[in-house]
Amino acid sequence: MSELIQISKNGDIGIITVNNPPVNALSPGVPDGIAAGLAVHIADPDVKAIVLIGGGRTFIAGADIKEFGKVVSGQSKGHSLLPLMLAMEDSPKPVIVALHGTALGGGLEVAMGGHYRVAVPSAQVGQPEIKIGLIPGAAGTQRLPRLAGVELAAQMCAFGESITAAKAHEAGIVDAIIDGDLLACAVAFARAQTARPKPREREIQSFDPGIFEKLRAQARKSHRNQTAPLAAIDAVEAATVLPFAEGCLRERELFNECLYGPQSKALIHSFFGEREVAKVPGTGKNLPVREIKRAAVVGAGTMGGGITMNFVNAGIPVRLRETTQEALDRGMAIIRKNYANSVAKGRFSQEVMEQRLALITPQLTWDGFDEADIITEAVFEGMALKKDIFAEIDRIAKPGCILASNTSTLSIDEIASATGRPQDVIGTHYFSPANVMRLLEIVRGAATGIDVIATCMALAKTLKKVGVLVGNCRGFVGNRMIHCYGREAQFLVEEGAAPEQVDAALYEWGMAMGPLAMGDLAGLDVGWRIRKEFKHLEVPGVRIPHISDELCERGRYGQKTGAGYYKYDENRKPSPDPAVMEIILEVAARAGLDRREIFKQEILDRTLLSLANEGANILEEGIALRPVDIDIIYLTGYGFPAYRGGPMFYADSLGLNTVLKRVEEFGWEPAPLLIKLAGEGRTFAQWANEVK
Ligand code: NAD
């Protein structure tokens, strides 16, 4: 028997325990091990029924995702679960599957191969494969509709959400809920089944045939452009028209289309990427991190309020300082409104809201800042102001306190120079809305201590953010790249495209919103002010876009003023504005541009490839640790579609030679790393592997 599987007996009940920590994934050896255990118990004349259970904290939580990549790259033939499921199904002795923790994906499929399922109340079951661009591949789409009914099964397979044991019981996926010791009760349940005939495979129950079209429409909306949810619905529909065995074949076909298609590769890249970015050279289990028990925030504006919410949501009390009572009241009112919205949506109770609010001490003084373990500054973006604040908090903060700035463009080193402890100064760059967006860029200054970095990476986890370490340069990683993207979007408009045409092309391609609509949302005046501050850095002869600034000059700051690239109604619904076209024509004429027709492909390439080209510069300068760090920044902070993997993954998938050719056609300066890798026929991912 493999180490991954143990067999034992309790009287006349045979037990098979899966022990593949941490989550009992279906790694090579697990399915075969279970099948071997089954054979032993079936051959044992004393055994009347068999219990399959997970050791440790969960039943089988899913497939071993690494295996999928190996199959696609030809390194592995894959490990079909089908032989195991047939063995379970054909067992002459009833097989009872005992569930705790999570039975997801292949885990639920294995469970459904048994004759009965019992579960503890806290167990969860689901078919989340679509989250990595796949569908169930071991009869899940065929068995689930027979157990749970077509509608619930189609929903579970198409949207990937898991359900509770209680719901699974109600739906017929689970036969009994166990209150008490799972193994002991599962054994008792098994014993009760020995005298009964095994249940026959259930028939598809009647269902509303309109359900598939309804779910497809829903999936096209909630999972725009994604193929797996639609494939999952097709597979469940196949279960309703084909006999079981043929349905399984159809499922396999659809599964393989997903597995060998581009979206699952991108989604799997993003799945592992989120784990990869947590690995920072020099940090690790042995490096002690500082404890963050109390926090303080300077500035209760858009960002300060959201940052405060992040801390208190994690149970960390916050001292929140403002300069005027009015600003403080405004900031607290927004926090309260955000929480009240969550209560109204049923996310948590009024009591939880009150507890969270009670953790915030709004104030106009520096009281209690000397007790904080981290002080986060989120005041207006201006170097002089930030330096004043850091000089002040340097005087007040206790030794070992982390001094963090939420600046989006300014140098962390210069900010740190205002203090006598640059080793404690770091950038923690949240994204708006800070209480919602998952990205946290952690900006390392030249002197930032490695333990401060490690503490902030750990803090990101505590705050349920994805922390990505970046270097100190103007705009760091995300904004430095978005600057190129936004610039190209504006150029396209100056050269002939309408704003809505640029936005539609990128939205349809998969971005959460188009670049110009995004500018309107963030406030065009933010960039306008920054450009004014950095005017001295403009290089004569280098083309700069003028549209956004021109809109700001006319008071069109975006949504906040009801007008920017679009005009907005009272519900912030945008519509194209002829006045904007007049401004565009004026700017184009002034710049001597002959406007021309611009096609979708040019819009996509000029914006998206500008990200990859700048990303290559960022990599070579060491501002990002790896290409995947850039990808994760874009997936978690900029609405880049996960099924396209991020800007660097996307460039790799086009082929860097193709990317370089386009970059040259556009007359941009190609990043040296792009030239090098394109010349060598390699990808950013291959380069990263070698650098490692
Ligand atoms: P904001 O104007 O909404 O808020 C700034 C707040 O700081 C104001 O309420 C102001 O009263 C307060 N303030 C000014 N001086 C202060 C002082 N001495 N003590 C206490 N409070 C003081 O600005 P914001 O959008 O929240 O931006 C704050 C910082 O976050 C900036 O550095 C900005 O670049 C950065 N940032 C903004 C965004 C964004 O999308 N808004 C995203 C990431 C980072």
Side-chain angles (χ1 to χ4, degrees), residues 22-212:
V23 295
N24 290 326
L26 286 165
S27 315
V30 172
D32 294 351
I34 300 174
L38 211 54
V40 172
H41 286 315
I42 291 171
D44 183 339
D46 296 337
V47 168
K48 300 279 184 293
I50 301 160
V51 169
L52 172 64
I53 191 167
R57 60 179 155 98
T58 182
F59 185 67
I60 298 165
D64 183 341
I65 295 172
K66 276 196 206 82
E67 288 299 307
F68 294 127
K70 288 187 195 156
V71 173
V72 174
S73 64
Q75 287 167 274
S76 157
K77 285 212 303 277
H79 304 269
S80 170
L81 286 178
L82 251 35
L84 166 64
M85 318 265 279
L86 290 178
M88 286 171 80
E89 214 162 52
D90 292 346
S91 159
K93 303 173 183 179
V95 177
I96 289 84
V97 185
L99 306 175
H100 73 302
T102 48
L104 302 179
L108 178 55
E109 291 178 300
V110 168
M112 289 192 293
H115 303 109
Y116 300 97
R117 282 148 297 281
V118 298
V120 295
S122 58
Q124 300 255 333
V125 305
Q127 299 285 174
E129 288 84 348
I130 62 119
K131 295 187 179 170
I132 52 166
L134 297 174
I135 67 167
T141 62
Q142 307 302 299
R143 282 205 170 88
L144 199 54
R146 288 174 160 85
L147 283 178
V150 172
E151 180 162 0
L152 180 62
Q155 258 168 13
M156 286 173 70
C157 295
F159 303 115
E161 299 308 329
S162 50
I163 60 170
T164 60
K167 182 141 194 226
H169 184 218
E170 193 189 312
I173 303 169
V174 162
D175 301 286
I177 299 284
I178 300 282
D179 244 340
D181 181 72
L182 177 62
L183 181 59
C185 295
V187 166
F189 183 95
R191 207 159 271 142
Q193 311 313 318
T194 52
R196 291 173 43 189
K198 284 187 301 165
R200 277 188 332 119
E201 185 182 287
R202 266 161 272 201
E203 299 294 319
I204 292 278
Q205 298 291 308
S206 67
F207 64 97
D208 165 15
I211 186 65
F212 296 114

Side-chain angles (χ1 to χ4, degrees), residues 244-489:
F244 183 76
E246 282 173 47
C248 288
L249 288 176
R250 178 72 187 124
E251 177 196 82
R252 184 104 304 246
E253 243 169 48
L254 289 161
F255 173 85
N256 279 330
E257 278 170 26
C258 290
L259 182 63
Y260 289 92
Q263 296 194 353
S264 68
K265 290 193 195 93
L267 286 161
I268 290 173
H269 167 75
S270 129
F271 176 88
F272 285 118
E274 280 199 21
R275 282 145 191 83
E276 183 81 7
V277 296
K279 295 180 195 149
V280 170
T283 70
K285 286 210 171 69
N286 297 331
L287 184 78
V289 297
R290 301 184 188 179
E291 223 180 340
I292 306 286
K293 280 197 190 141
R294 290 193 179 85
V297 174
V298 191
T302 311
M303 296 306 287
I307 295 168
T308 298
M309 289 174 75
N310 288 330
F311 281 109
V312 300
N313 292 351
I316 301 170
V318 178
R319 294 269 184 173
L320 176 58
R321 179 185 194 269
E322 256 296 344
T323 41
T324 65
Q325 191 61 44
E326 198 197 342
L328 193 57
D329 291 345
R330 198 175 40 231
M332 284 305 295
I334 293 172
I335 294 177
R336 226 172 262 123
K337 196 171 127 214
N338 282 337
Y339 278 140
N341 279 344
S342 296
V343 171
K345 285 184 186 145
R347 292 210 186 108
F348 47 77
S349 65
Q350 181 75 27
E351 199 188 341
V352 169
M353 162 169 165
E354 297 305 333
Q355 281 163 0
R356 291 189 183 178
L357 286 171
L359 287 175
I360 308 174
T361 311
Q363 57 188 55
L364 298 175
T365 65
W366 294 106
D367 286 354
F369 271 59
D370 54 344
E371 291 178 353
D373 301 304
I374 183 166
I375 299 174
T376 308
E377 165 278 311
V379 302
F380 303 128
E381 186 81 341
M383 186 51 94
L385 175 62
K386 304 246 182 210
K387 279 172 115 172
D388 281 351
I389 304 256
F390 272 75
E392 186 68 33
I393 57 181
D394 185 28
R395 273 191 286 278
I396 302 166
K398 67 180 180 185
C401 173
I402 293 177
L403 312 185
S405 173
N406 185 50
T407 177
S408 20
T409 46
L410 302 173
S411 165
I412 294 299
D413 291 337
E414 195 175 342
I415 292 174
S417 73
T419 75
R421 43 174 131 176
Q423 75 280 1
D424 293 335
V425 178
I426 194 163
T428 52
H429 183 210
Y430 294 83
F431 288 73
S432 183
N435 54 315
V436 176
M437 297 300 285
R438 291 172 68 224
L439 176 60
L440 178 60
E441 273 187 336
I442 295 173
V443 191
R444 159 185 229 162
T448 308
I450 189 78
D451 65 323
V452 172
I453 292 171
T455 304
C456 289
M457 293 297 292
L459 176 67
K461 244 189 214 149
T462 308
L463 302 185
K464 299 205 164 70
K465 303 279 169 198
V466 179
V468 184
L469 183 64
V470 299
N472 183 33
C473 66
R474 194 174 150 202
F476 317 123
V477 171
N479 283 349
R480 174 168 157 184
M481 285 166 62
I482 210 72
H483 177 74
C484 305
Y485 174 83
R487 185 184 56 205
E488 287 305 317

